[in-house]
């Protein structure tokens, strides 16, 4: 009997599942991060192959009817030399044809069977995409920390630090957000309001001494301060939601009623940005991505068995 394989390969972890024609999950595998932009391509390819091999267990790789890999950094495979590395890894795992797609596509497919719609991703970075025929045909944002990533964890962390610098610069009272940022960046002793000028310089120095993406670590403090009623956190989360909604609506046609799938920790329904985004999108069908690996497996099942393929259940 044949089976299909779905893989969700992210920056920090890679998961694979094997599913039969009935939608039953036959096996699961896991490996480290496999984004070829943040890991050496040989290492990324090897990790995907390892996750696939783990999911197959004792199953015959030759019985694989289709394999879809949702991959962060999939554009790297446009380089023939990089693509050859991954194709060699598929071959070593005993898998024939593999369809590698952007990770937002499998996230979208995890939430809906609709072939057309939109996807909005906000994790460390952010991107909005137009989905047609289950393919992401155009994007808005997703330019990385230097050029964009509006509303992302990086953006939230940067705004948290900037807000704290504004408080220090004008000698204002340290609210919950400023206190959390200063403690994280400079230590518990850095919350003395009387040390405004020296803290201002120290915070700038600290923020600029690390890789810019490290600013994302301040993002959780924005949500925590919001829950404590901090006006600065309320203003930051409101702007983040507005930017994210603008991006996803730009990716849609006027009057479009197709689903919008939200992906990523920043857009969690429990978080303030996620709640505000959902409020802005009232009246539209808004769904939350469940698990990208299930979306990848279902896309593979559609490739192999057609539109009537059942969706795999969680295991």
């Amino acid at each position: 009997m044949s089976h299909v394989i779905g893989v969700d390969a992210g920056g920090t972890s890679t998961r694979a599942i094997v599913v039969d024609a009935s939608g039953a999950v036959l096996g699961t595998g896991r490996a480290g991060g496999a984004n070829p932009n943040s890991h050496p391509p040989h290492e990324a390819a090897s990790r995907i192959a390892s996750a696939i091999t783990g999911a197959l267990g004792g199953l015959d790789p030759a019985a694989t009817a289709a394999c879809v890999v949702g991959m962060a950094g999939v554009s790297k495979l446009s380089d023939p030399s990089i693509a050859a590395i991954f194709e060699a890894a598929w071959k070593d795992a005993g898998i024939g044809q593999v369809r590698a797609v952007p990770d937002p596509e499998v996230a979208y497919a995890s939430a809906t069977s609709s072939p057309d719609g939109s996807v909005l991703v906000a994790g460390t970075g952010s991107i909005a995409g137009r989905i047609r025929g289950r393919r992401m045909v155009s994007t808005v944002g997703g330019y990385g920390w230097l050029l964009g990533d509006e509303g992302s964890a990086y953006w939230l962390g940067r705004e948290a630090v900037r807000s704290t610098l504004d408080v220090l610069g004008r000698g204002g009272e340290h609210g919950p957000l400023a206190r959390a940022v200063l403690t994280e960046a400079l230590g518990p002793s850095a919350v003395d309001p009387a040390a405004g000028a020296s803290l201002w310089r120290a915070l700038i120095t600290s923020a600029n001494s690390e890789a810019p993406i490290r600013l994302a670590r301040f993002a959780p403090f924005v949500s925590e301060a919001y829950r404590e009623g901090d006006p600065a956190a309320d203003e930051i989360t409101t702007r983040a939601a507005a930017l994210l909604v603008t991006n996803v609506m730009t990716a849609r046609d006027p009057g479009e009623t197709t689903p919008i799938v939200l992906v990523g920790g920043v857009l969690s329904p429990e978080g303030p940005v996620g709640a505000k985004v959902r409020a802005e999108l009232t009246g539209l069908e808004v769904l939350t991505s469940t698990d990208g690996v299930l979306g990848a497996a279902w896309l593979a099942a559609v490739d192999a068995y057609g539109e009537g393929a059942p969706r795999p259940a969680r295991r």
Side-chain angles (χ1 to χ4, degrees):
M1 294 181 65
S2 70
H3 55 255
V4 300
I5 301 173
V7 181
D8 185 14
T12 57
S13 68
T14 299
R15 292 174 302 138
I17 61 173
V18 179
V19 176
D20 68 15
S22 73
V25 178
L26 305 179
T28 63
R30 184 179 292 271
N35 180 340
N37 285 320
S38 52
H39 301 280
H42 283 284
E43 183 177 282
S46 175
R47 287 175 173 176
I48 293 174
S50 175
I52 290 173
T53 299
L56 283 168
L59 296 170
D60 182 5
T64 303
C67 178
V68 170
V69 176
M71 186 191 306
V74 71
S75 61
K76 196 83 168 179
L77 273 64
S78 62
D79 180 335
S81 64
I82 303 298
I85 293 170
F86 282 83
E87 288 164 7
W90 316 146
K91 185 176 180 180
D92 289 345
I95 306 300
Q97 189 66 28
V98 174
R99 183 159 70 92
V101 304
D103 51 333
E105 288 186 15
V106 301
Y108 177 85
S110 76
T112 179
S113 300
S114 175
D116 301 332
S118 308
V119 61
L120 176 61
V121 182
T124 303
S126 68
I127 190 171
R130 180 193 298 256
I131 303 291
R132 294 294 182 266
R134 302 194 181 94
R135 305 290 180 96
M136 191 162 66
V137 298
S138 65
T139 60
V140 178
Y143 306 140
W145 65 267
L146 180 62
L147 300 175
D149 280 352
E150 299 88 355
S152 66
Y154 161 78
W155 186 95
L156 288 165
R158 186 194 68 185
E159 294 305 300
V161 173
R162 290 180 63 173
S163 174
T164 302
L165 289 168
D166 288 344
V167 170
L168 295 173
R170 66 173 182 267
E173 181 180 352
H174 296 182
L177 180 58
R179 290 196 298 270
V181 167
L182 289 168
T183 300
E184 169 67 19
L186 304 175
S189 63
V191 295
D192 179 7
S198 62
L199 289 179
W200 182 83
R201 289 189 292 270
L203 181 56
I204 292 174
T205 300
S206 173
N208 282 290
S209 67
E210 299 183 304
I213 200 65
R214 283 277 292 156
L215 289 172
R217 78 183 192 276
F218 295 102
F221 301 136
V222 180
S223 295
E224 294 167 11
Y226 172 83
R227 295 185 183 99
E228 294 181 50
D230 190 323
D234 182 34
E235 190 269 340
I236 290 170
T237 55
T238 297
R239 282 195 291 127
L243 289 165
L244 290 167
V245 168
T246 296
N247 280 358
V248 75
M249 294 306 292
T250 301
R252 294 168 67 81
D253 294 328
E256 186 174 336
T257 59
T258 60
I260 299 175
V261 174
L262 305 184
V263 187
V266 171
L267 291 169
S268 165
E270 291 76 31
V273 177
K276 290 180 180 185
V277 165
R278 286 168 175 79
E280 291 266 356
L281 297 175
T282 297
L284 295 171
E285 182 183 6
V286 178
L287 306 170
T288 302
S289 174
T290 54
D291 193 337
V293 75
L294 297 178
W298 183 68
L299 288 176
V302 171
D303 287 349
Y305 309 126
E307 286 290 329
R311 301 181 71 84
R314 285 183 175 275
R315 175 175 171 174

